[in-house]
Amino acid sequence: MSTSLCADAYVLELAGPGRIAALSWQADHPVSAAPDWARSLPKAWNDAERLYALAPGLTVFGAGEGARTRRMLERTGFETFELSWASGFDGVRANLVALGRHLHRDAEAEAAIASLDRRLAALSARSAERGVSPRVLYLSASGGTAGEGTYIDAAIKAAGGVNVMAEEGVTGWPAGDPETVLAVEADIVLTSFFTDGYEGLSNRAARHSAYRRVLTQGETETIPASDWPCAGPRLIDAAERIADIIDDWSAQVPS
């Protein structure tokens, strides 16, 4: 079983029906890419009492999650596994290998990595054929963006775009600041978590007038939140969606 949205993505990549006892409490939410058969599975979260009741053979935690719960489970003989933090496709590969070994699903992990590599190679070929690289700005519902060293940056680069925040020297995940995003020019604005994320007071970009200006400065497209809640196996899906958007944009660029 898995206890977080990111852990769900890896478990679903390597294990199918009959092998998964439970997924996270988010598995039946719009932010999840869980297939229909998996959405009705029992729900798990970082609570030892809940996990004891589900009695899993292996509990998979997201990176940095549930440390106290993991220790309690391990002291009573339950097996656990924690994903490593990943900021790009190398991290995805490493997590697939490690979890595949833990699940005794090495062949499935190798197949997933081979598919990932083929798809990345196809994106690289598309980029070379396209010959133009648009400036891309990512904007989340909170108004935050993503710089160098993030999985958003990795997906944009794999698709053949230039992450304008990385180009500006920004690293990591800067907090929402309308002045920052208003100061850059982008050909394409990518949004995510606006309609399929969680409603809350932090969803500034959906209401703030400055962000609305950003959303009209170039071509604006939405990437499903379920593709990239973390650097998981579906990050390649996000990269392919971005490449499709870039293809459409490049077809309109004067030659």
PDB file of all heavy atoms in Angstrom, residues 46-69:
ATOM      1  N   ASN A  46      -0.735   8.628   6.765  1.00  0.00           N
ATOM      2  CA  ASN A  46       0.378   8.461   7.717  1.00  0.00           C
ATOM      3  C   ASN A  46      -0.121   8.368   9.157  1.00  0.00           C
ATOM      4  O   ASN A  46       0.167   9.211  10.000  1.00  0.00           O
ATOM      5  CB  ASN A  46       1.372   9.627   7.586  1.00  0.00           C
ATOM      6  CG  ASN A  46       2.113   9.596   6.276  1.00  0.00           C
ATOM      7  OD1 ASN A  46       2.285   8.541   5.692  1.00  0.00           O
ATOM      8  ND2 ASN A  46       2.546  10.752   5.807  1.00  0.00           N
ATOM      9  N   ASP A  47      -0.863   7.321   9.426  1.00  0.00           N
ATOM     10  CA  ASP A  47      -1.388   7.099  10.766  1.00  0.00           C
ATOM     11  C   ASP A  47      -1.167   5.627  11.103  1.00  0.00           C
ATOM     12  O   ASP A  47      -1.679   4.733  10.421  1.00  0.00           O
ATOM     13  CB  ASP A  47      -2.878   7.434  10.815  1.00  0.00           C
ATOM     14  CG  ASP A  47      -3.490   7.114  12.164  1.00  0.00           C
ATOM     15  OD1 ASP A  47      -3.293   7.912  13.103  1.00  0.00           O
ATOM     16  OD2 ASP A  47      -4.154   6.068  12.274  1.00  0.00           O
ATOM     17  N   ALA A  48      -0.404   5.375  12.149  1.00  0.00           N
ATOM     18  CA  ALA A  48      -0.031   4.003  12.465  1.00  0.00           C
ATOM     19  C   ALA A  48      -1.245   3.121  12.738  1.00  0.00           C
ATOM     20  O   ALA A  48      -1.297   1.967  12.302  1.00  0.00           O
ATOM     21  CB  ALA A  48       0.909   3.999  13.671  1.00  0.00           C
ATOM     22  N   GLU A  49      -2.236   3.646  13.448  1.00  0.00           N
ATOM     23  CA  GLU A  49      -3.419   2.842  13.768  1.00  0.00           C
ATOM     24  C   GLU A  49      -4.142   2.402  12.499  1.00  0.00           C
ATOM     25  O   GLU A  49      -4.556   1.239  12.380  1.00  0.00           O
ATOM     26  CB  GLU A  49      -4.356   3.645  14.662  1.00  0.00           C
ATOM     27  CG  GLU A  49      -5.561   2.847  15.133  1.00  0.00           C
ATOM     28  CD  GLU A  49      -6.424   3.624  16.122  1.00  0.00           C
ATOM     29  OE1 GLU A  49      -5.975   4.698  16.592  1.00  0.00           O
ATOM     30  OE2 GLU A  49      -7.530   3.163  16.411  1.00  0.00           O
ATOM     31  N   ARG A  50      -4.263   3.330  11.548  1.00  0.00           N
ATOM     32  CA  ARG A  50      -4.908   2.989  10.279  1.00  0.00           C
ATOM     33  C   ARG A  50      -4.100   1.933   9.529  1.00  0.00           C
ATOM     34  O   ARG A  50      -4.657   0.968   8.990  1.00  0.00           O
ATOM     35  CB  ARG A  50      -5.051   4.262   9.425  1.00  0.00           C
ATOM     36  CG  ARG A  50      -5.559   4.032   8.003  1.00  0.00           C
ATOM     37  CD  ARG A  50      -6.954   3.485   7.986  1.00  0.00           C
ATOM     38  NE  ARG A  50      -7.480   3.404   6.635  1.00  0.00           N
ATOM     39  CZ  ARG A  50      -8.594   2.739   6.310  1.00  0.00           C
ATOM     40  NH1 ARG A  50      -9.292   2.114   7.256  1.00  0.00           N
ATOM     41  NH2 ARG A  50      -9.017   2.698   5.070  1.00  0.00           N
ATOM     42  N   LEU A  51      -2.807   2.087   9.505  1.00  0.00           N
ATOM     43  CA  LEU A  51      -1.961   1.144   8.772  1.00  0.00           C
ATOM     44  C   LEU A  51      -1.931  -0.222   9.438  1.00  0.00           C
ATOM     45  O   LEU A  51      -1.920  -1.248   8.758  1.00  0.00           O
ATOM     46  CB  LEU A  51      -0.549   1.724   8.630  1.00  0.00           C
ATOM     47  CG  LEU A  51      -0.477   3.035   7.837  1.00  0.00           C
ATOM     48  CD1 LEU A  51       0.949   3.557   7.822  1.00  0.00           C
ATOM     49  CD2 LEU A  51      -0.992   2.849   6.423  1.00  0.00           C
ATOM     50  N   TYR A  52      -1.929  -0.263  10.766  1.00  0.00           N
ATOM     51  CA  TYR A  52      -2.012  -1.550  11.453  1.00  0.00           C
ATOM     52  C   TYR A  52      -3.287  -2.283  11.052  1.00  0.00           C
ATOM     53  O   TYR A  52      -3.288  -3.502  10.834  1.00  0.00           O
ATOM     54  CB  TYR A  52      -2.014  -1.357  12.970  1.00  0.00           C
ATOM     55  CG  TYR A  52      -0.679  -0.971  13.566  1.00  0.00           C
ATOM     56  CD1 TYR A  52      -0.611  -0.049  14.606  1.00  0.00           C
ATOM     57  CD2 TYR A  52       0.504  -1.546  13.121  1.00  0.00           C
ATOM     58  CE1 TYR A  52       0.606   0.312  15.171  1.00  0.00           C
ATOM     59  CE2 TYR A  52       1.723  -1.203  13.672  1.00  0.00           C
ATOM     60  CZ  TYR A  52       1.769  -0.265  14.697  1.00  0.00           C
ATOM     61  OH  TYR A  52       2.968   0.068  15.248  1.00  0.00           O
ATOM     62  N   ALA A  53      -4.389  -1.546  10.957  1.00  0.00           N
ATOM     63  CA  ALA A  53      -5.672  -2.159  10.626  1.00  0.00           C
ATOM     64  C   ALA A  53      -5.663  -2.732   9.211  1.00  0.00           C
ATOM     65  O   ALA A  53      -6.267  -3.775   8.946  1.00  0.00           O
ATOM     66  CB  ALA A  53      -6.793  -1.137  10.769  1.00  0.00           C
ATOM     67  N   LEU A  54      -4.952  -2.079   8.299  1.00  0.00           N
ATOM     68  CA  LEU A  54      -4.890  -2.549   6.910  1.00  0.00           C
ATOM     69  C   LEU A  54      -3.890  -3.700   6.745  1.00  0.00           C
ATOM     70  O   LEU A  54      -3.965  -4.442   5.764  1.00  0.00           O
ATOM     71  CB  LEU A  54      -4.517  -1.391   5.980  1.00  0.00           C
ATOM     72  CG  LEU A  54      -5.591  -0.306   5.826  1.00  0.00           C
ATOM     73  CD1 LEU A  54      -5.018   0.927   5.135  1.00  0.00           C
ATOM     74  CD2 LEU A  54      -6.790  -0.836   5.054  1.00  0.00           C
ATOM     75  N   ALA A  55      -2.953  -3.829   7.685  1.00  0.00           N
ATOM     76  CA  ALA A  55      -1.987  -4.936   7.730  1.00  0.00           C
ATOM     77  C   ALA A  55      -1.310  -5.205   6.388  1.00  0.00           C
ATOM     78  O   ALA A  55      -1.402  -6.294   5.831  1.00  0.00           O
ATOM     79  CB  ALA A  55      -2.683  -6.212   8.221  1.00  0.00           C
ATOM     80  N   PRO A  56      -0.592  -4.218   5.845  1.00  0.00           N
ATOM     81  CA  PRO A  56       0.054  -4.400   4.542  1.00  0.00           C
ATOM     82  C   PRO A  56       1.311  -5.257   4.623  1.00  0.00           C
ATOM     83  O   PRO A  56       1.948  -5.352   5.679  1.00  0.00           O
ATOM     84  CB  PRO A  56       0.426  -2.974   4.147  1.00  0.00           C
ATOM     85  CG  PRO A  56       0.710  -2.307   5.468  1.00  0.00           C
ATOM     86  CD  PRO A  56      -0.305  -2.897   6.422  1.00  0.00           C
ATOM     87  N   GLY A  57       1.657  -5.863   3.490  1.00  0.00           N
ATOM     88  CA  GLY A  57       2.948  -6.534   3.410  1.00  0.00           C
ATOM     89  C   GLY A  57       4.069  -5.529   3.279  1.00  0.00           C
ATOM     90  O   GLY A  57       5.192  -5.761   3.746  1.00  0.00           O
ATOM     91  N   LEU A  58       3.787  -4.401   2.649  1.00  0.00           N
ATOM     92  CA  LEU A  58       4.766  -3.328   2.483  1.00  0.00           C
ATOM     93  C   LEU A  58       4.025  -2.006   2.420  1.00  0.00           C
ATOM     94  O   LEU A  58       3.047  -1.870   1.676  1.00  0.00           O
ATOM     95  CB  LEU A  58       5.584  -3.511   1.204  1.00  0.00           C
ATOM     96  CG  LEU A  58       6.555  -2.366   0.857  1.00  0.00           C
ATOM     97  CD1 LEU A  58       7.705  -2.319   1.861  1.00  0.00           C
ATOM     98  CD2 LEU A  58       7.097  -2.530  -0.569  1.00  0.00           C
ATOM     99  N   THR A  59       4.478  -1.027   3.183  1.00  0.00           N
ATOM    100  CA  THR A  59       3.915   0.325   3.135  1.00  0.00           C
ATOM    101  C   THR A  59       4.929   1.243   2.484  1.00  0.00           C
ATOM    102  O   THR A  59       6.078   1.343   2.936  1.00  0.00           O
ATOM    103  CB  THR A  59       3.586   0.850   4.538  1.00  0.00           C
ATOM    104  OG1 THR A  59       2.670  -0.053   5.168  1.00  0.00           O
ATOM    105  CG2 THR A  59       2.932   2.230   4.452  1.00  0.00           C
ATOM    106  N   VAL A  60       4.515   1.931   1.415  1.00  0.00           N
ATOM    107  CA  VAL A  60       5.391   2.829   0.670  1.00  0.00           C
ATOM    108  C   VAL A  60       5.049   4.271   1.027  1.00  0.00           C
ATOM    109  O   VAL A  60       3.894   4.700   0.885  1.00  0.00           O
ATOM    110  CB  VAL A  60       5.250   2.611  -0.850  1.00  0.00           C
ATOM    111  CG1 VAL A  60       6.203   3.533  -1.616  1.00  0.00           C
ATOM    112  CG2 VAL A  60       5.526   1.149  -1.209  1.00  0.00           C
ATOM    113  N   PHE A  61       6.054   5.005   1.487  1.00  0.00           N
ATOM    114  CA  PHE A  61       5.900   6.409   1.865  1.00  0.00           C
ATOM    115  C   PHE A  61       6.576   7.296   0.830  1.00  0.00           C
ATOM    116  O   PHE A  61       7.571   6.918   0.210  1.00  0.00           O
ATOM    117  CB  PHE A  61       6.544   6.675   3.222  1.00  0.00           C
ATOM    118  CG  PHE A  61       5.855   6.015   4.385  1.00  0.00           C
ATOM    119  CD1 PHE A  61       6.187   4.720   4.753  1.00  0.00           C
ATOM    120  CD2 PHE A  61       4.894   6.687   5.110  1.00  0.00           C
ATOM    121  CE1 PHE A  61       5.564   4.098   5.830  1.00  0.00           C
ATOM    122  CE2 PHE A  61       4.262   6.085   6.186  1.00  0.00           C
ATOM    123  CZ  PHE A  61       4.592   4.781   6.547  1.00  0.00           C
ATOM    124  N   GLY A  62       6.051   8.501   0.684  1.00  0.00           N
ATOM    125  CA  GLY A  62       6.714   9.491  -0.140  1.00  0.00           C
ATOM    126  C   GLY A  62       7.982   9.988   0.528  1.00  0.00           C
ATOM    127  O   GLY A  62       8.221   9.739   1.719  1.00  0.00           O
ATOM    128  N   ALA A  63       8.798  10.707  -0.223  1.00  0.00           N
ATOM    129  CA  ALA A  63      10.073  11.204   0.305  1.00  0.00           C
ATOM    130  C   ALA A  63       9.851  12.104   1.512  1.00  0.00           C
ATOM    131  O   ALA A  63       9.059  13.043   1.465  1.00  0.00           O
ATOM    132  CB  ALA A  63      10.821  11.968  -0.782  1.00  0.00           C
ATOM    133  N   GLY A  64      10.524  11.803   2.602  1.00  0.00           N
ATOM    134  CA  GLY A  64      10.464  12.635   3.800  1.00  0.00           C
ATOM    135  C   GLY A  64       9.164  12.550   4.569  1.00  0.00           C
ATOM    136  O   GLY A  64       8.909  13.378   5.447  1.00  0.00           O
ATOM    137  N   GLU A  65       8.336  11.543   4.308  1.00  0.00           N
ATOM    138  CA  GLU A  65       7.012  11.473   4.926  1.00  0.00           C
ATOM    139  C   GLU A  65       6.933  10.372   5.988  1.00  0.00           C
ATOM    140  O   GLU A  65       7.537   9.318   5.853  1.00  0.00           O
ATOM    141  CB  GLU A  65       5.946  11.214   3.853  1.00  0.00           C
ATOM    142  CG  GLU A  65       5.824  12.330   2.840  1.00  0.00           C
ATOM    143  CD  GLU A  65       4.843  11.993   1.729  1.00  0.00           C
ATOM    144  OE1 GLU A  65       4.357  10.852   1.683  1.00  0.00           O
ATOM    145  OE2 GLU A  65       4.576  12.876   0.898  1.00  0.00           O
ATOM    146  N   GLY A  66       6.166  10.646   7.004  1.00  0.00           N
ATOM    147  CA  GLY A  66       5.778   9.628   7.973  1.00  0.00           C
ATOM    148  C   GLY A  66       6.901   8.983   8.750  1.00  0.00           C
ATOM    149  O   GLY A  66       6.822   7.792   9.079  1.00  0.00           O
ATOM    150  N   ALA A  67       7.934   9.749   9.101  1.00  0.00           N
ATOM    151  CA  ALA A  67       9.093   9.143   9.770  1.00  0.00           C
ATOM    152  C   ALA A  67       8.694   8.448  11.074  1.00  0.00           C
ATOM    153  O   ALA A  67       9.105   7.307  11.339  1.00  0.00           O
ATOM    154  CB  ALA A  67      10.155  10.201  10.038  1.00  0.00           C
ATOM    155  N   ARG A  68       7.898   9.105  11.897  1.00  0.00           N
ATOM    156  CA  ARG A  68       7.491   8.516  13.175  1.00  0.00           C
ATOM    157  C   ARG A  68       6.640   7.272  12.949  1.00  0.00           C
ATOM    158  O   ARG A  68       6.813   6.247  13.628  1.00  0.00           O
ATOM    159  CB  ARG A  68       6.718   9.555  13.990  1.00  0.00           C
ATOM    160  CG  ARG A  68       6.267   9.071  15.355  1.00  0.00           C
ATOM    161  CD  ARG A  68       5.687  10.221  16.168  1.00  0.00           C
ATOM    162  NE  ARG A  68       5.220   9.761  17.473  1.00  0.00           N
ATOM    163  CZ  ARG A  68       3.993   9.296  17.707  1.00  0.00           C
ATOM    164  NH1 ARG A  68       3.116   9.240  16.704  1.00  0.00           N
ATOM    165  NH2 ARG A  68       3.647   8.900  18.914  1.00  0.00           N
ATOM    166  N   THR A  69       5.730   7.348  11.990  1.00  0.00           N
ATOM    167  CA  THR A  69       4.874   6.202  11.695  1.00  0.00           C
ATOM    168  C   THR A  69       5.697   5.030  11.180  1.00  0.00           C
ATOM    169  O   THR A  69       5.459   3.873  11.563  1.00  0.00           O
ATOM    170  CB  THR A  69       3.808   6.588  10.643  1.00  0.00           C
ATOM    171  OG1 THR A  69       3.028   7.676  11.148  1.00  0.00           O
ATOM    172  CG2 THR A  69       2.899   5.426  10.326  1.00  0.00           C
TER     173      THR A  69
END
